[in-house]
Amino acid sequence: MNILDWKTKQNNVEVPFCPARVVLQDFTGIPAMVDFAAMREAVRNAGGDPVKVNPACPTDLTVDHSLQIDFSKCAIQNAPNPGGGDSQKPMAKLSPLKAQPRKLPCRGQTGCKGPCSAGDSGRHSGQFSAQIENTPILCPFHLQPVPEPETVLKNQEMEFGRNRERLQFFKWSSKVFKNISVIPPETGMAHQVNLEYLSRVVFEVKDFLYPDSVVGTDSHTTMVNGLGILGWGVGGIETEAVMLGMPVTLTLPEVVGCELTGTASPLATSIDIVVSITKHLKQADVAGKFVEFFGSGVSQLSVADRTTIANMCPEYGAILSFFPVDNVTLKHLKHTGFDKAKLEVMEAYLKAVKLFRNDESSSREPEYSQVVQISLSSIIPYVSGPKRSQDRVAVNNMKSDFQACLNEKSGVKGFQIAAEKQNDIVPVQYEGNEYKLSHGCIVIAAVISCTNNCNPSVMLAAGLLAKKAVEAGLAVKPYIRTSLSPGSGMVTHYLSSSGVLPYLSKLGFEVVGYGCSTCVGNTAPLPEAIRNAIKQGDIIACGVLSGTKNFEGRLCDCVRANYLASPPLVVAYAIAGTVRIDFETEPLGTGFNGKSIYLRDIWPTRRELHTVEEECVISSMFKELKEKMEKGNKRWNLLEAPESTLFPWDLKSTYIRCPSFFDKLAKEPVSPQPIENAHVLLYLGDSVTTDHISPAGSIARSSAAAKYLTNKGLTPREFNSYGARRGNDAVMTRGTFANIKLLNKFIGKPAPKTIHFPSGQTLDVFEAAELYQREGTPVIILAGKKYGLGSSRDWAAKGPFLLGVKAVLAESYEKVHRSQLIGIGIAPLQFLPGENPSTLGLTGREQFSILFPPELSPGMTLDIKTSTGKVFSVIALFENDMEITLYKYGGSLNFVARRFL
């Protein structure tokens, strides 16, 4: 009844929702499964039956975040990537592959007879080795299978070597827990697998039909809304509760109708459409709302376009962005191999329950809380950066905008470079040649799997642009760290079958593997000479990538400007070698015979793209990949794992450790305890991201986590990354607030440090928190606006909890992170409107006391008293009674665990 009366009930009532399934990726999947293993242990210790601890909701876990780029462009790097890890010494001794002589392409044959080569496939050889499962590569001239590049094999060997413990734990989980399916490494990205393989659109269970729906920990879960499947991202802690049968409880949201009209420019890609819609919806303030697209423009978007648009909804704050199933969706599903009979049942069911969008009845559109209109005709190509994804820059303004960034004061866009140094040039010797680095030079260019690889048009555009560039005589400078990390084998398949993969390789964009890499900071280190030149000249070096996250320092600590761009623009900027270029008036470079080549000369037309897409993206690709996915891969199939009911914890392990979350498992709730005389652990500003709170990339050698691993006998090359070690609470707690870009107002400069006020010492955040815990002193965090931005990350809540943080006091929160804090037992408190530490005269050096009433209620006001005698009011940011219940039990993990006692 509340939903039917939505006009008066929205934003005022709670709605429980039980999704049909859950998806996990391994960075968040491993702590979830470690918690399940620990829960079995705790239930056994409390006298319960551990076998009963199983997911109640079907769950798919994709191991996709363990790939690191140790090898690129077929050159074996002796030094591992910033994440470190097992050095695999026999492999490390191998010398770089020698360039092979150019072979003539095999044309005019009726079939492939042995390995094929379409000429020189890269700046360093296109040598091939034995083919592996799930990653089909075809001869680009007659579509017969050829072996996988050496680069992929080497990266996969390293991946399985350094992550063996984690993979064995995942395999144990798949054996002993019911309702868990593990998709092994090298299959594809979680969101890609979700789209291509896991999505049902309509579930059919024992002749009962119901709509497919999903929640997941992957930040790209919302992509499935482009396929007509309701889905959104939640925190790892919430996900664990859903897996155990609890509903997602949310306040009945407003539904914003986004009307699309007109036709986009031929130069505008799906990414341009995405960032334009992002800007419009940010301005429309859709935070915490559902968005549904309608209008004549919707029919002009392919399912690939829709999933790309839906993917970005977390960036503009919406819970999800939904495209109802229509004829375009059905046509797509038919091409991807859906059973004809199932499609007929699906269409009939969706029409019967009025969930099918019919173009012919568009005059009777649904009724929405609010309508936003966007004309696709007004969209022009953009990039986003240099530090935040919401800062859009028109491509034709890129050169002048970067110049403005050099002039601006250091901040969200500026770099504050003195005018007399803005044209500095630093010469550098690399591979026997001299190059010149200057502000705006590009040193990383990555076509990666975050947003674009579900969309054939933008990936094919990059390939066709590369083909035209090579044919025109253009090249990419060898020091630029280029890479191509597809979302699944399907992407490699259509790039190869369309004949563009060798041209991408020629420019250095060779397939490095299948999984998150550059996007999560797992890129190979820059050449030492280039790093030194950048630091010597204080150069603002740039990275360009086709992803969704570009926080400063995320790709590499010496790359300060990062731009998000469509795949073809990534290739174009890599060829140009700089972002300080006007594509309209300046050439990308000089081609054959000294001819100047402009971007317009090699940009593929929309007709070219559609022709190649029709010929290459065919149903056989999806069918073959689904068959291979179901078979698994050889390394995974041969991997041994225990089968015991309880996991046999290895006390020496630095990857998997039984966490302490259930040490005080409570059978009954208790009244919230007062927080007395708490010190402020950190005093933070605005837009603190989950990357700042819980890094996912490399483990710095001077960090508290590094000291712990060193004491365990590991060398820096064996550290791996924070993401890989999320199954070890000791590492993750030490990694909390260990980001080098963390700006703590107590310190006054970016550093993972704080002040322990009783002693006056400046320490690592972990060391200070450890001292406070020994003294029995609670701690809180002061923060500004939008605390917890970025990818949902359970350790961004778990880490502070284990540091002893009892509450966070901020001006505003990212919605998912606020829920995560409650789910672990940390109180999210918010300053009253118009108030903040400055207006209240707080320095953060005071001690704070917070008294909770016996009966909390959603949104109630609490009083805080400081050691200086100041008293002020804050809002207890609990949105509903369920959140209060979870907080009383010490978080959702303890709440659900007690049900097994």
Side-chain angles (χ1 to χ4, degrees), residues 65 169 249 474 750 878:
H65 276 51
F169 177 77
T249 302
L474 297 176
F878 301 101

Side-chain angles (χ1 to χ4, degrees), residues 254-268:
E254 295 180 42
V255 180
V256 177
C258 183
E259 184 178 15
L260 301 181
T261 60
T263 305
S265 159
L267 289 180

Side-chain angles (χ1 to χ4, degrees), residues 51-97:
V51 176
K52 292 182 179 179
V53 179
N54 288 293
C57 184
T59 301
D60 298 290
L61 191 159
T62 303
V63 185
D64 65 343
H65 276 51
S66 57
L67 174 69
Q68 298 183 12
I69 305 175
D70 294 286
F71 312 109
S72 64
K73 296 173 283 191
C74 287
I76 296 178
Q77 309 292 328
N78 289 320
N81 82 332
D86 189 347
S87 62
Q88 297 291 302
K89 293 180 181 178
M91 291 171 55
K93 292 179 180 178
L94 294 173
S95 60
L97 299 172

Side-chain angles (χ1 to χ4, degrees), residues 375-455:
S375 172
L376 300 180
S377 305
S378 65
I379 296 174
I380 58 175
Y382 282 88
V383 297
S384 295
K387 301 180 183 181
R388 304 187 305 175
S389 58
Q390 64 263 41
D391 296 326
R392 298 197 315 158
V393 183
V395 172
N396 56 6
N397 292 333
M398 179 65 154
K399 184 176 182 179
S400 58
D401 186 83
F402 185 79
Q403 182 64 43
C405 291
L406 295 180
N407 291 324
E408 285 185 27
K409 292 182 178 180
S410 295
V412 295
K413 285 198 70 172
F415 296 104
Q416 200 169 351
I417 302 298
E420 65 273 14
K421 292 184 175 294
Q422 292 180 7
N423 294 314
D424 284 359
I425 293 176
V426 179
V428 59
Q429 290 288 329
Y430 182 70
E431 293 187 346
N433 295 309
E434 182 175 284
Y435 299 93
K436 296 179 179 179
L437 301 185
S438 59
H439 296 299
C441 64
I442 290 170
V443 293
I444 294 177
V447 177
I448 56 178
S449 54
C450 279
T451 305
N452 312 292
N453 296 345
C454 68
N455 193 322

